[in-house]
Amino acid sequence: MNAPLNHPLMMLDPDVLRSFVAIAETGSFTAAAARIYRTPSAVSMQIKRLEEQLGVSVFLRDARNVSLTHDGEVLLGYARRLIALNREAISRFVTSDVSGVVRIGSPSDYGEAVLPSVLKLFAKSHPSVVVDVVIDQSTSLLKRFASGHIDIALISCMRDQTPDPGEVLMTDDIVWAGAKGGQAYLMDPLPVSMWDEGCVWRDSALAALEKVGRSYRVAFMTSHSAGQRSAILADLAIAPMGRSFLGSDIQVLDEDCGLPAPGKYHLLLKVAADPSPQVMALSDHFRARFQHFSETGVFEAP
């Protein structure tokens, strides 16, 4: 029976939602407890109360793994938005005078697709914060992050090679991309456009070609996504790309074209330990943007 219209709706506790998100991202009650500075038993009690409050199970548990149920997957999207909205409200009224510097590292593809909209919104909410951006390969960004030279890093990694800790912002297919109507994929050896060494798209794609014995030659080298697209559109070569970056002028070349699937990759958000208010705020902007992408399929701000 539905509650009366004037019946007060229950409120979800932000602390409980933070615990829920931490478990979903780490896959472990113990790791989540360490991330949010609580004991595993306290986190377990929070989730028990959350499931009782909602009347559904949000996690599947076995001796080794914790995974989301279907209801848990649905709740995860709401939880991330509610947490981000809470921090946005706090920053609007309490930390609007926050100043300082935030240092970001990103691969060039996400630098072009995501950073403009994120930084535009962040500049409105934190006009006194200076943002320093480094565009580089994920392997180099990991070194910069580990040495403390950047506060926030967007890192690409293969799905089965996720560094810890790292918050998964999105998972995408690596696909072979070619010009629509192009003929490059028919050539032998296969002309391939490559990123610099250390790119997970490159490493996975070449491993896939070598596994099936497909001969190839590196026909184009670039460190930036704009150069990669130029080589594809000119039909000089094909290239491994994230499916989300193809666009209307590029097609997927699959096994019907004699090309093996390179696999899937994660995009991770890595945030410095004990982050400053401005680092936390900008991290939440990234989370909100990728949540928007998961719901709409576009990176641009609404």
Side-chain angles (χ1 to χ4, degrees), residues 11 154 169 213 228 250:
M11 300 292 289
L154 297 178
L169 289 178
Q228 189 79 289
I250 292 177

PDB file of all heavy atoms in Angstrom, residues 11 154 169 213 228 250:
ATOM      1  N   MET A  11      14.874  10.075   4.494  1.00  0.00           N
ATOM      2  CA  MET A  11      16.037  10.733   3.920  1.00  0.00           C
ATOM      3  C   MET A  11      17.218   9.775   3.964  1.00  0.00           C
ATOM      4  O   MET A  11      17.431   9.076   4.956  1.00  0.00           O
ATOM      5  CB  MET A  11      16.371  12.005   4.708  1.00  0.00           C
ATOM      6  CG  MET A  11      15.255  13.042   4.718  1.00  0.00           C
ATOM      7  SD  MET A  11      14.993  13.763   3.074  1.00  0.00           S
ATOM      8  CE  MET A  11      16.481  14.750   2.934  1.00  0.00           C
ATOM      9  N   LEU A 154      43.514  11.541 -14.238  1.00  0.00           N
ATOM     10  CA  LEU A 154      42.658  10.648 -15.009  1.00  0.00           C
ATOM     11  C   LEU A 154      43.578   9.640 -15.675  1.00  0.00           C
ATOM     12  O   LEU A 154      44.480  10.019 -16.433  1.00  0.00           O
ATOM     13  CB  LEU A 154      41.859  11.419 -16.057  1.00  0.00           C
ATOM     14  CG  LEU A 154      40.869  12.463 -15.537  1.00  0.00           C
ATOM     15  CD1 LEU A 154      40.200  13.178 -16.703  1.00  0.00           C
ATOM     16  CD2 LEU A 154      39.835  11.834 -14.636  1.00  0.00           C
ATOM     17  N   LEU A 169      35.689   5.713 -13.201  1.00  0.00           N
ATOM     18  CA  LEU A 169      34.719   6.682 -13.710  1.00  0.00           C
ATOM     19  C   LEU A 169      33.906   6.112 -14.863  1.00  0.00           C
ATOM     20  O   LEU A 169      32.737   6.427 -15.013  1.00  0.00           O
ATOM     21  CB  LEU A 169      35.432   7.952 -14.175  1.00  0.00           C
ATOM     22  CG  LEU A 169      36.036   8.849 -13.095  1.00  0.00           C
ATOM     23  CD1 LEU A 169      36.738  10.034 -13.746  1.00  0.00           C
ATOM     24  CD2 LEU A 169      34.970   9.338 -12.122  1.00  0.00           C
ATOM     25  N   GLY A 213      48.273 -13.347 -35.331  1.00  0.00           N
ATOM     26  CA  GLY A 213      49.249 -13.425 -36.403  1.00  0.00           C
ATOM     27  C   GLY A 213      49.027 -12.453 -37.543  1.00  0.00           C
ATOM     28  O   GLY A 213      49.477 -12.709 -38.667  1.00  0.00           O
ATOM     29  N   GLN A 228      45.748  11.599 -34.177  1.00  0.00           N
ATOM     30  CA  GLN A 228      45.217  10.261 -34.411  1.00  0.00           C
ATOM     31  C   GLN A 228      44.024  10.304 -35.362  1.00  0.00           C
ATOM     32  O   GLN A 228      43.928   9.519 -36.303  1.00  0.00           O
ATOM     33  CB  GLN A 228      44.808   9.648 -33.068  1.00  0.00           C
ATOM     34  CG  GLN A 228      44.441   8.186 -33.112  1.00  0.00           C
ATOM     35  CD  GLN A 228      45.662   7.305 -33.137  1.00  0.00           C
ATOM     36  OE1 GLN A 228      46.345   7.259 -34.141  1.00  0.00           O
ATOM     37  NE2 GLN A 228      45.914   6.603 -32.051  1.00  0.00           N
ATOM     38  N   ILE A 250      33.814   8.305 -38.274  1.00  0.00           N
ATOM     39  CA  ILE A 250      34.719   7.171 -38.087  1.00  0.00           C
ATOM     40  C   ILE A 250      33.888   5.921 -37.808  1.00  0.00           C
ATOM     41  O   ILE A 250      32.887   5.984 -37.089  1.00  0.00           O
ATOM     42  CB  ILE A 250      35.711   7.439 -36.940  1.00  0.00           C
ATOM     43  CG1 ILE A 250      36.673   8.564 -37.343  1.00  0.00           C
ATOM     44  CG2 ILE A 250      36.497   6.187 -36.583  1.00  0.00           C
ATOM     45  CD1 ILE A 250      37.646   8.959 -36.253  1.00  0.00           C
TER      46      ILE A 250
END
